Amino acid sequence: MKRKLAAAICIAGMMVSIAACGGDGGDGGSDKSGADAKELTVWLTVDAQNNWPELVKAADAAVTKKHPGIKINHEYYGWPDKNAKLDAVLATDKAPDVVEMGNTEMLGYMVKGAFAPLDAGQFDNSAAWLDGLKASVTYEGKTYGVPYYAGGRVANWRKDVFASVGVKSAPKTYAELTSALDKVQKEEGDKFSAWYQPTRDWYAAMSFVYDAGGSIAVESGGQWKGNLSSPESVKGLKEFQKVVDGYMHGDKTKDESDRYIVYGQGKSGMIFAPAWEGATAAAKENDKTGKLEGNVENFVMPGPSGKNLPVFLGGSDLAVPVKSDAQAVAAEWINAFTGSSGQKGLIAKGNLPNNKTDLATLKNDPATAVPATAAESNWFVPMAPGWGQVEKAQVLQTMLQSIGTGKKSVEAAAKEADAAIDKVINTK
């Protein structure tokens, strides 16, 4: 699930207004604690409205029980227009008290002081939050949000294609995987992608980078610097290049946006993607082969390092705008919604939980073992002040396309990407 940081985050009026309200530096503030608030406004996306409204009602009930007479208002937004509406309202005195954010959207708002700092200790399971999710709500040592739910990436293969070359069980190691892919590629020929891996899919490419011990950027002495040209990162990028060169026989200038459609057309034997894509490709409206239903299977992606390939964790966080006059009650509502009982409800709806404790229980259920196991090893984008200003998708996609099409060597493309990142990554 992609979350795009709104370009309007730096609207001058919004920033001036936020700065004017000051920063009290405490955990939730004093004059804005709102412990006796009479009204609460919660902004969520339509995901909650359409898929788990009963969990919203349960959180409301918990708060109204403690605060009789309080009025709780809900507004629901689609992902494309949410941030523009939030930016506009943050420039006024009518900010919501709770707002849902895509986890990659958090950083720009935290840097600009749009969200109130929170005491992580008051939220259920905060000590066990998944590493990638914890990173998304943490800036300069303070917590500015609460992870809500997560989604990870897994491998998905066509069992019939691999069975045709004698491979009947999902690979457990990277050597087993590449051996199986080699057999499929030889059998099917160069018009078929044994592994359909879009070249510009930076989420997949960075998984190889982190698996090799590299990273997008590193911090030293309070300063961030691009790290894609480090020996470790280059090693990971070269492994990714091998995948694209050896098994990807589609358009090497494409991103992953229509991957499930291509998979459904029967032009590939495997993908590495968000866990929902395999099943979506096999749905009747997308399966152009008539063979995918019951024939596609998720498995945990092994990495070249010998460990499971680290995956990017997408998902949502909940934050309290610094202008809220009900910050204490807002935090209570968030805990009621994302706490232990809320996580059980979200898991039942097919989401990954926000914490390692609940995630571990899913590994015992065959229906959830694969995504839960895959999510244990995860990575997140650099939480550098200027990362939100990096044209990250463009920088990384340009680098990967140059590598995948042979336009530039891995080393040259990585150095160019680092230079682009270094220009703004420390800019507040």
Side-chain angles (χ1 to χ4, degrees):
M1 184 180 325
K2 296 182 179 178
R3 312 296 193 223
K4 296 183 179 179
L5 181 61
I9 182 85
C10 293
I11 292 175
M14 184 186 91
M15 291 305 119
V16 170
S17 181
I18 290 173
C21 75
D24 38 35
D27 291 333
S30 51
D31 57 326
K32 286 183 174 289
S33 65
D36 58 351
K38 303 300 182 186
E39 192 168 350
L40 192 72
T41 298
V42 177
W43 281 18
L44 299 172
T45 67
V46 292
D47 297 333
Q49 182 182 32
N50 296 335
N51 301 318
W52 43 86
E54 69 278 10
L55 302 183
V56 177
K57 291 179 181 178
D60 290 352
V63 171
T64 55
K65 182 177 181 180
K66 185 175 179 180
H67 301 276
I70 191 171
K71 181 182 179 183
I72 302 179
N73 307 304
H74 292 283
E75 295 186 29
Y76 296 94
Y77 297 93
W79 285 106
D81 59 354
K82 173 184 67 66
N83 285 12
K85 294 179 182 295
L86 178 60
D87 293 344
V89 79
L90 287 179
T92 73
D93 292 323
K94 299 185 182 299
D97 303 299
V98 176
V99 62
E100 178 181 350
M101 305 293 297
N103 59 359
T104 59
E105 297 171 343
M106 286 289 294
L107 180 60
Y109 289 85
M110 294 190 291
V111 170
K112 297 299 182 181
F115 297 145
L118 303 171
D119 176 7
Q122 74 180 103
F123 300 99
D124 292 357
N125 297 310
S126 59
W129 284 343
L130 296 176
D131 294 339
L133 300 186
K134 181 179 180 181
S136 75
V137 298
T138 306
Y139 181 66
E140 293 187 339
K142 291 186 177 181
T143 300
Y144 290 93
V146 176
Y148 173 8
Y149 65 90
R153 283 165 168 72
V154 298
N156 184 283
W157 72 341
R158 282 186 57 179
K159 293 185 289 184
D160 60 337
V161 170
F162 283 83
S164 70
V165 295
V167 181
K168 298 182 179 180
S169 60
K172 300 297 183 184
T173 69
Y174 197 70
E176 290 178 357
L177 174 62
T178 55
S179 175
L181 288 166
D182 289 341
K183 292 176 183 178
V184 168
Q185 196 62 68
K186 182 178 180 180
E187 177 71 18
E188 298 292 338
D190 60 10
K191 292 185 178 180
F192 184 86
S193 295
W195 174 351
Y196 183 75
Q197 178 51 66
T199 311
R200 292 164 62 88
D201 177 7
W202 65 275
Y203 295 103
M206 293 305 103
S207 288
F208 281 84
V209 166
Y210 281 90
D211 181 67
S215 60
I216 297 172
V218 292
E219 181 185 18
S220 178
Q223 293 292 301
W224 286 83
K225 185 175 179 59
N227 192 48
L228 292 165
S229 58
S230 70
E232 296 84 359
S233 295
V234 167
K235 180 181 179 181
L237 287 170
K238 286 186 174 180
E239 288 291 348
F240 182 75
Q241 182 184 39
K242 288 179 184 178
V243 170
V244 173
D245 287 348
Y247 310 121
M248 169 60 178
H249 295 282
D251 183 349
K252 293 186 179 181
T253 66
K254 292 184 64 175
D255 64 17
E256 71 279 14
S257 58
D258 66 345
R259 173 174 43 211
Y260 71 94
I261 295 175
V262 175
Y263 195 35
Q265 292 171 343
K267 298 179 180 180
S268 60
M270 172 188 145
I271 57 174
F272 174 56
W276 57 267
E277 286 198 25
T280 303
K284 290 182 179 180
E285 64 270 23
N286 297 318
D287 179 11
K288 305 306 180 183
T289 70
K291 301 177 181 179
L292 298 187
E293 185 177 1
N295 195 33
V296 293
E297 178 183 47
N298 285 338
F299 63 94
V300 179
M301 182 71 181
S305 69
K307 300 178 181 179
N308 293 338
L309 194 72
V311 299
F312 173 80
L313 284 184
S316 284
D317 299 326
L318 297 175
V320 179
V322 72
K323 284 191 168 187
S324 165
D325 290 322
Q327 292 179 16
V329 181
E332 291 176 14
W333 191 92
I334 291 174
N335 191 46
F337 189 52
T338 65
S340 297
S341 61
Q343 290 300 308
K344 288 183 176 60
L346 289 166
I347 289 170
K349 296 293 184 177
N351 300 293
L352 290 177
N354 65 7
N355 67 90
K356 299 172 185 175
T357 305
D358 286 327
L359 189 71
T361 66
L362 300 185
K363 292 173 63 179
N364 299 321
D365 183 346
T368 55
V370 168
T373 301
E376 285 185 310
S377 178
N378 55 79
W379 61 272
F380 198 65
V381 297
M383 296 304 284
W387 179 249
Q389 299 180 51
V390 175
E391 292 293 338
K392 47 189 175 292
Q394 183 177 343
V395 168
L396 296 176
Q397 288 177 337
T398 298
M399 175 189 70
L400 294 171
Q401 184 171 322
S402 295
I403 293 170
T405 58
K407 182 179 180 181
K408 294 180 180 178
S409 69
V410 169
E411 291 84 355
K415 285 181 180 179
E416 189 174 275
D418 275 348
I421 290 171
D422 288 345
K423 286 182 180 179
V424 294
I425 197 168
N426 293 296
T427 305
K428 290 189 177 181

